[in-house]
Amino acid sequence: MGEAAEISPREAEVLELVGDHLSNAEIGARLYISVRTVETHVSSLLRKLDVPDRRALARCATRRTRPDQQRPAPALPLRLTSFIGRQSERAALATMLKEHRQVTAVGPGGVGKTRLALAVAADAADEFADGVWFVDLVPVADPGMIATAVAEALGLGEQLGHDMAGSVATALADRHALLVLDNCEQVVDGAALFLERLLAACPQVRVLVTSRSRLMVPFERVYPVPSLSLSLSFSPSSADYGEGGDDGDDSRDRHDSKGTVAGGSDAVALFIDRATSVGRPLDPAQYEQVAEICARLDGMALAIELAAARYATLGLDGITAALAHPLRMLTGGSRAQDRHRSVRAALDWSHNLLEPADRALLRRVSVFVTPFTAQAAAEVTRLDAATVVDGLARLAEQSLLAVTFAPDGTRYRALETLRQYGADRLTEAGELHDTQARHLHWCLARSAELVEPRADWRARFDRAADELRAALAWAESRTEQRADAYRLARAMAELAFTRHLIAESQQRYEQAAALATNPADAAAMFRHAAAVAACRLHGDDMHRLNLAAADVARGAGYTVAAARDLAAAASNAYRFSSKFVTPLRPEEADALIAEARELAGTDPSARAAVALAEAGRTLTHAIGTTHTHSTGASIGTGTGTTDASDGATHTAGSSSGSPGSPGSPAVQEAIASAERAVELAHLEKDPLAESAALDTLAGALSWAGDAFAAAATARRRVELLVTVPDGSDAPYSPYGPAGTHELIEALGEATEAALGVGDLPGARQWARRLAEHPQLAEVGHRATGWLLVADTLAGDAEQALTAGLRFRDAWQRAGSPARAVLGPPAAAMATIHGLRDDQEARRDWSALLAQVDPSPWNTHGYGAVFDALLMLHQGRPEAALERTAPEPGQVRQWTTWIWLHWYVALRAEASVLAGAPDAAARLAKARTAVAGNPVATALVERAAALLDADTERLIATASAFDAAGCRYQSARTLTLAGGDHAARGARALTDLGLAPMTTP
């Protein structure tokens, strides 16, 4: 590895965070830089340190920043106090974890399950090459959110086309890691389903669960966590404990090397350690009395800690007296129930010793499921700020709250057992509803604050999200809170979408629709949910939700809105067929359009929506299939002829005037129909409707063979969407989920269209905006695909290599999907490595290409173009001619939209350089076919100059290539010219990072 490579200070920061297994988005949030900037740094580090992927980069980071460690530091919570004893339990649980892939540590609240699990996980950290991860499930009330909690702990984002559980499973598929899932009892069923899916997909992942009850699944192995050992066999004067217990020495000095009191009682050792930490060390003569207290508390770790926290103020006699009465009341029940009651008794005792104001504070802050600030506590408890600050400090001193310190301030948190105790007290006091309602209003205020964009937005959302979810879970089932629940569900939907948690966003929009009391609001929420489903590539959900919006609108008498929703359901089925698992049948689409037309009446906006659906149907009938094609984001648009999901070919006829052919009346009718839809949408000043209509029009023009009109239409579409209403540019859409989906589609379409007509600067411009779109931050292979292609065609090897690293890393993290849309970037990378004469890397990328797309588009379309480019560079024109042997008309369905001009021009050049007898005829046909395309025209003119041996004309094409933004072909022109020009061409190729060209 390139360990000696120099890296910049910023790269060093990024490298360290990669070593901590943060995602690019998490790193960006930590360093206050864009995700795109992080990805550039990561790509640079991969190249400088000469490592193949992110996992290797993380290991390299560990060696550089923590040279004494060979494994990532475990992502476990920091212990604020020492871990005492439990040697046999640690050994037994560790052995079980080695033998079984999923182990559940079960026991009552307060027995110490979490601390034991953390100790075992820390001990096992070196055994897991890809890390140990802790996931706190206390805030998770919805079983469906378990995967989201795990993803957040791992720093993962949601992969388009997967739900969150699938994204987690994909990311961990080849990782050797340990997950610790803490406090699963409230989501046992969801945890069982999640783990069954995870462990089946991730053979090297092991899971340690803590729960009050087992998961009840076949693959589970259960370890019952016992209470702390109570045996005490030592002489009070034993030298093991030293003389003069009041000398202030830390109690850990009186433990053996394993952290256990020499006498053998873990319970006593824990009490001594915690009591000493509050400033009053015990005398060895008191250990028997300590043992009696621990026995009364059944060795329950939490109860012992609470009692020890009182030692400084009550002494052992006071603790014994306080515990005696409530413990005498405990009778009957199983041992486990006794343990629960022991903790309850200790909690009751601690609670009764509090001042009334502190009792109120303790029970009211129990509504918080995540760490909270003093200010938040004051707002929710309705106690004055000074009382809250003092009270929280006192509760922390008595071990009733844990304290954490962060750059943004001090936060407090109750352990789950204490939180549940506080909730019980809240109920007994009759304050539960009012306190929960105040908590709900506090959460609504936080959600409103999160709308404001700030550099630390993501971190702020992540801190607040579980609190908002908990408040929503409480409110949604209470009729009197329905209005606020609707507001919070809607806010959560919008925030989750911005945070790129698009599966949750769809869920929250649907939840908001169910909570809405106004039918117009419900229908609007269903429409947003449909748009989010489209962003997730879930066409069936999109269709279902479009129809749900129509049902609500129709039921409320909003016939115009219902007409628009029905028309949208039909037009989306045409535009985005590749997103459907079950395609819409033609008769179903016809029925939707007919009903939409009937409900629309004379309303202009509804008529525009119906016109769009009819245009989609007309184009589909004209070309014999739906008109979806692939874009750089792997999201179908309505402009071409490639199905992004399976690469199926169209069966349109090729003879002029036949159904489906470019010149057929059906195609011309499709163009006219799409133009009418554009006009109606434009008159309505509805940019999203106009964009959708332009998409359909671009598809019709493309199929008609008018690539330049199609490109202009695509450009018009994206320009309509990339400017927010105030006129300022932004890399996102101001129109919500529907606008975001439309914009991503449009950026991909504009990139492809520009490539198709040789507008390399335009293609790179739109591709760069697509790559920087925040919604694609976690799916770099889809975000960067067309940028990589454009950079390769322009000859910018440095940029292509950087994009290629991001592409491959994201593709691997997504589970190495096989999709036709990923073929062109893979082919481009194979070509760029071939141009650099890196044959090993070329073979590697060629293998990846064969994996992602074995379809005819690879064989006859873009694959032939990229292969011909490389063969000509290598001085193998005969091979290039053979690769492009089929006549353009024979491969038109695989070259339409992007590759036709490239194919024709390279085929013509290969025929000249190979000395084909019909080279002149081919040049004449090619000149006509590519007219207007600056790059393809320059390729043809250069071939003609070579055929005529006209050096002056040949050199002139170099300037044409430079003007078209194609530096590679300019350098190649100079090399072909020979003489002094060849030396300049060789230097230009070197400057581009490419190998010298071989002349035929």
Side-chain angles (χ1 to χ4, degrees), residues 262-310:
S265 170
D266 288 345
V268 172
L270 177 63
F271 189 101
I272 293 171
D273 184 86
R274 301 304 190 254
T276 302
S277 69
V278 298
R280 266 186 76 178
L282 286 93
D283 188 277
Q286 297 175 295
Y287 293 162
E288 290 286 359
Q289 192 174 4
V290 170
E292 292 177 6
I293 292 172
C294 293
R296 287 181 179 275
L297 297 173
D298 283 323
M300 297 296 284
L302 175 59
I304 291 169
E305 296 223 21
L306 293 174
R310 291 286 181 179

Side-chain angles (χ1 to χ4, degrees), residues 124-255:
D126 285 345
E127 300 173 17
F128 293 91
D130 295 304
V132 176
W133 306 91
F134 179 84
V135 184
D136 183 8
L137 295 179
V138 167
V140 180
D142 180 355
M145 295 300 296
I146 293 175
T148 298
V150 174
E152 289 175 355
L154 295 172
L156 299 174
E158 182 178 347
Q159 295 287 340
L160 295 182
H162 294 284
D163 59 11
M164 191 61 86
S167 297
V168 171
T170 295
L172 295 178
D174 63 344
R175 303 301 172 91
H176 185 209
L178 171 64
L179 291 182
V180 181
L181 302 187
D182 192 38
N183 289 295
C184 283
E185 53 269 3
Q186 79 278 14
V187 285
V188 166
D189 292 340
L193 292 173
F194 170 76
L195 289 179
E196 186 168 10
R197 181 175 177 183
L198 179 74
L199 293 173
C202 308
Q204 297 187 83
V205 168
R206 291 181 182 252
V207 181
L208 177 57
V209 170
T210 73
S211 177
R212 296 188 186 187
S213 59
R214 60 174 297 179
L215 303 186
M216 302 295 289
V217 290
F219 50 82
E220 176 185 37
R221 293 298 180 270
V222 176
Y223 178 79
V225 178
S227 56
L228 292 170
S229 63
L230 295 169
S231 61
L232 192 64
S233 56
F234 61 89
S235 167
S237 61
S238 170
D240 288 331
Y241 294 95
E243 299 294 336
D246 293 330
D247 62 1
D249 290 343
D250 191 289
S251 64
R252 284 170 288 186
D253 293 337
R254 295 186 294 275
H255 295 167

Side-chain angles (χ1 to χ4, degrees), residues 271-357:
F271 189 101
I272 293 171
D273 184 86
R274 301 304 190 254
T276 302
S277 69
V278 298
R280 266 186 76 178
L282 286 93
D283 188 277
Q286 297 175 295
Y287 293 162
E288 290 286 359
Q289 192 174 4
V290 170
E292 292 177 6
I293 292 172
C294 293
R296 287 181 179 275
L297 297 173
D298 283 323
M300 297 296 284
L302 175 59
I304 291 169
E305 296 223 21
L306 293 174
R310 291 286 181 179
Y311 170 67
T313 54
L314 295 179
L316 295 183
D317 290 342
I319 294 172
T320 300
L323 290 178
H325 176 67
L327 289 176
R328 282 200 300 269
M329 298 172 61
L330 299 177
T331 58
S334 67
R335 182 65 177 164
Q337 290 172 327
D338 285 346
R339 291 177 183 168
H340 276 297
R341 294 176 182 179
S342 298
V343 174
R344 175 73 188 207
L347 291 171
D348 283 341
W349 163 67
S350 292
H351 179 266
N352 292 337
L353 292 173
L354 297 174
E355 294 296 324

